[in-house]
Amino acid sequence: MNAAALAVSPVDAQTSDPEWTSIKTLGYANRFSVWDSEFRYDGRIRVPMGVKITKVEYAYWGRDDQSYITAVEVPRGRMGIDQEYEVIDLTFLADSDVITFTLRGDLNVDAAPERGQYSRTYQLGVKVTLNDGTTRTTHVEIEVLWPLYDPDNGRIGRPFVRLPYDTAWGGTPNSQAGFGYVSDNGYIADKFIIDLVNPRQGRDNVAGNNADHVYYQLVHEDGTPSHLTPAPVKFNVKGHADAGTGNKRILDAVNLQDEGDKWGYYRFLVWPQSTNTSDGKTSTLSWNPDKPEEAFQIGSVYFRYTATRSASFSVAPGGPPDVHLTAGGPVGYPGVRLETTEGPVPEQTVRVSLPQGMGLQFVEEGNPGYQLTVLDSDGAQKHFIGQLSQDGQTLTFSKVNLALTGKSSKSTAWVAVKAIDPNTTGRTSLTFQVGSETSQSTPIEVRSR
């Protein structure tokens, strides 16, 4: 659910950033019960200069082979309750325009999951038609949960939070105003509603039969949390098993500006919890706040929002001095030099690949794990743990802070490798792909003993 903008050019954009060819998803209502069949979506597209949206549609039935419903455009910040969309921001770039929008409406996916299933997933489509005759499409996965405990029919009864809708839940000006909410001054009040349902609540001799709290967090588009919630915050709310909303709680007013939070798009994430009355321990049915993918997104905020203007940066061979390797010898650290004349550069995905046939191998130094080191211009180091591909040839590092914080910023990045084949010699290098930019590493001299 991480969405930092990439530094791209029109030439390579079609293969590197969904903003250019489809729709970039910022956030959406990803998981809810059959009681709350509603659609909430925040997205962004990049278009040729002057191109506008003429129509926004979504898969009302949750299926592409049935009709889509058309949303009506309403003014920014309206917070309505019908099938509507708002253009939140129009940013003009040198080569294109960026349109950010929020979309809301009813869904018809409230039929019970199939017999023997606790939930059903849908790949729910969104279409945006432009006045140049083109159409952008994307799909997001939603999970629809069965809200009652019925173990004989596979209804396992995990706790969940409701997705607020219409006007009967409280909130201002309506119960669903906390999704796609525009806050240009950072103030948020009477918007985030938490209603905790536990289908097992109060049942004797059943695990997870008490729910009295959740965890919540506000997370920026680039994956960093709000200063209000540096880690998921425990929030007490009374669980219940019925469809009423009398036990709901509305979060107190907050001000992101006062907290020093950066501008942008924030997702409001909630992890429902339940405990066992027999021993007081957290039930395995709870949703893990250490896993962003297990969160329920039930709200979002555009705080003084403008689309990220992707800062360009360069990647070139460099880092530590040239690397000399021999089989059984010391580890080497080939890397790249990074530089920007704009900044700040958002977090990037970094992929590092070994050359074929040169007898090199990545070295674990992350205690445990494979590690990318970034050295900023002040000499401070940051380390990022990556994933090794199955063939052992590529390391992938997500959400890497390149330490390019402003104009004329420079940094270096490197990984650890060793030689393992005594019969292979020659001059070579690693390949670094940083965002959409690619470069060879520091030259590597592979020597015989």
Side-chain angles (χ1 to χ4, degrees), residues 224-430:
T224 58
S226 162
H227 293 162
L228 284 163
T229 57
V233 174
K234 183 178 180 180
F235 184 74
N236 294 326
V237 56
K238 185 178 180 180
H240 57 93
D242 58 30
T245 60
N247 292 325
K248 71 180 185 302
R249 289 193 61 189
I250 301 178
L251 264 64
D252 293 338
V254 297
N255 194 313
L256 302 182
Q257 181 76 17
D258 290 349
E259 293 296 324
D261 276 324
K262 56 188 169 184
W263 301 346
Y265 174 80
Y266 287 83
R267 294 182 297 144
F268 181 61
L269 306 178
V270 181
W271 292 265
Q273 305 294 298
S274 63
T275 59
N276 309 319
T277 56
S278 60
D279 56 15
K281 294 182 179 179
T282 299
S283 168
T284 57
L285 297 168
S286 297
W287 303 82
N288 189 346
D290 292 331
K291 295 182 177 180
E293 68 272 16
E294 292 202 7
F296 288 62
Q297 184 177 352
I298 61 173
S300 62
V301 176
Y302 291 94
F303 167 39
R304 207 169 184 83
Y305 179 88
T306 57
T308 301
R309 297 175 183 266
S310 299
S312 62
F313 61 92
S314 62
V315 186
D322 289 5
V323 174
H324 302 281
L325 298 176
T326 58
V331 172
Y333 298 92
V336 290
R337 293 182 290 107
L338 305 155
E339 184 173 358
T340 181
T341 58
E342 299 180 27
V345 173
E347 294 175 332
Q348 304 289 324
T349 297
V350 177
R351 294 181 177 86
V352 186
S353 300
L354 297 172
Q356 294 288 336
M358 291 302 297
L360 299 184
Q361 185 179 80
F362 291 115
V363 177
E364 289 189 81
E365 292 194 330
N367 193 30
Y370 298 92
Q371 185 169 277
L372 175 76
T373 300
V374 176
L375 177 72
D376 67 21
S377 56
D378 294 325
Q381 293 186 8
K382 293 183 179 180
H383 305 288
F384 303 88
I385 301 301
Q387 295 294 321
L388 184 66
S389 61
Q390 288 188 348
D391 63 5
Q393 293 297 297
T394 301
L395 284 173
T396 300
F397 303 89
S398 300
K399 298 181 180 179
V400 175
N401 181 348
L402 300 178
L404 300 176
T405 58
K407 292 183 178 181
S408 301
S409 293
K410 297 180 181 181
S411 62
T412 55
W414 62 83
V415 296
V417 296
K418 64 181 179 181
I420 57 174
D421 184 355
N423 299 315
T424 299
T425 62
R427 191 168 177 82
T428 188
S429 62
L430 308 184

Side-chain angles (χ1 to χ4, degrees), residues 183-201:
S183 178
D184 289 330
N185 62 4
Y187 183 67
I188 307 169
D190 209 25
K191 294 293 182 293
F192 292 144
I193 303 171
I194 296 179
D195 186 64
L196 174 60
V197 178
N198 181 19
R200 298 179 173 221
Q201 190 78 7

Side-chain angles (χ1 to χ4, degrees), residues 25-301:
T25 299
L26 300 176
Y28 66 101
N30 62 321
R31 185 179 288 119
F32 48 82
S33 82
V34 299
W35 294 336
D36 306 325
S37 190
E38 294 276 316
F39 190 49
R40 308 281 186 269
Y41 180 85
D42 298 303
R44 187 168 66 214
I45 58 174
R46 188 174 301 203
V47 298
M49 289 186 293
V51 170
K52 306 293 184 184
I53 294 175
T54 59
K55 185 166 65 172
V56 176
E57 308 166 87
Y58 65 93
Y60 173 74
W61 300 94
R63 294 168 52 180
D64 281 345
D65 61 353
Q66 297 197 23
S67 60
Y68 276 49
I69 194 167
T70 299
V72 175
E73 184 177 7
V74 297
R76 177 182 186 269
R78 171 168 163 167
M79 297 177 286
I81 61 172
D82 296 316
Q83 282 64 248
E84 301 171 343
Y85 76 94
E86 301 172 15
V87 174
I88 301 297
D89 178 70
L90 176 58
T91 295
F92 301 110
L93 303 179
D95 59 353
S96 58
D97 297 342
V98 181
I99 305 172
T100 304
F101 65 96
T102 188
L103 169 63
R104 55 181 170 263
D106 292 330
L107 277 179
N108 199 334
V109 294
D110 51 2
E114 300 295 339
R115 182 177 178 85
Q117 292 181 343
Y118 162 63
S119 68
R120 177 188 294 170
T121 58
Y122 295 82
Q123 298 295 326
L124 201 149
V126 178
K127 296 180 183 179
V128 174
T129 302
L130 305 173
N131 64 359
D132 64 356
T134 61
T135 299
R136 303 284 186 90
T137 62
T138 193
H139 288 79
V140 292
E141 183 174 279
I142 63 170
E143 182 179 15
V144 181
L145 311 177
W146 183 245
L148 303 176
Y149 179 52
D150 184 5
D152 293 336
N153 288 311
R155 320 303 196 196
I156 60 178
R158 294 187 75 177
F160 61 89
V161 285
R162 303 288 300 273
L163 177 62
Y165 61 86
D166 293 348
T167 60
W169 298 47
T172 303
N174 55 63
S175 303
Q176 62 189 53
F179 223 116
Y181 176 57
V182 175
S183 178
D184 289 330
N185 62 4
Y187 183 67
I188 307 169
D190 209 25
K191 294 293 182 293
F192 292 144
I193 303 171
I194 296 179
D195 186 64
L196 174 60
V197 178
N198 181 19
R200 298 179 173 221
Q201 190 78 7
R203 292 176 178 262
D204 294 333
N205 303 316
V206 173
N209 58 352
N210 181 58
D212 60 9
H213 70 282
V214 301
Y215 288 92
Y216 75 85
Q217 190 173 36
L218 270 170
V219 180
H220 191 272
E221 174 189 346
D222 67 9
T224 58
S226 162
H227 293 162
L228 284 163
T229 57
V233 174
K234 183 178 180 180
F235 184 74
N236 294 326
V237 56
K238 185 178 180 180
H240 57 93
D242 58 30
T245 60
N247 292 325
K248 71 180 185 302
R249 289 193 61 189
I250 301 178
L251 264 64
D252 293 338
V254 297
N255 194 313
L256 302 182
Q257 181 76 17
D258 290 349
E259 293 296 324
D261 276 324
K262 56 188 169 184
W263 301 346
Y265 174 80
Y266 287 83
R267 294 182 297 144
F268 181 61
L269 306 178
V270 181
W271 292 265
Q273 305 294 298
S274 63
T275 59
N276 309 319
T277 56
S278 60
D279 56 15
K281 294 182 179 179
T282 299
S283 168
T284 57
L285 297 168
S286 297
W287 303 82
N288 189 346
D290 292 331
K291 295 182 177 180
E293 68 272 16
E294 292 202 7
F296 288 62
Q297 184 177 352
I298 61 173
S300 62
V301 176

Side-chain angles (χ1 to χ4, degrees), residues 12-30:
D12 58 13
Q14 293 196 6
T15 59
S16 61
D17 194 334
E19 279 186 16
W20 288 88
T21 56
S22 58
I23 306 169
K24 188 164 194 170
T25 299
L26 300 176
Y28 66 101
N30 62 321

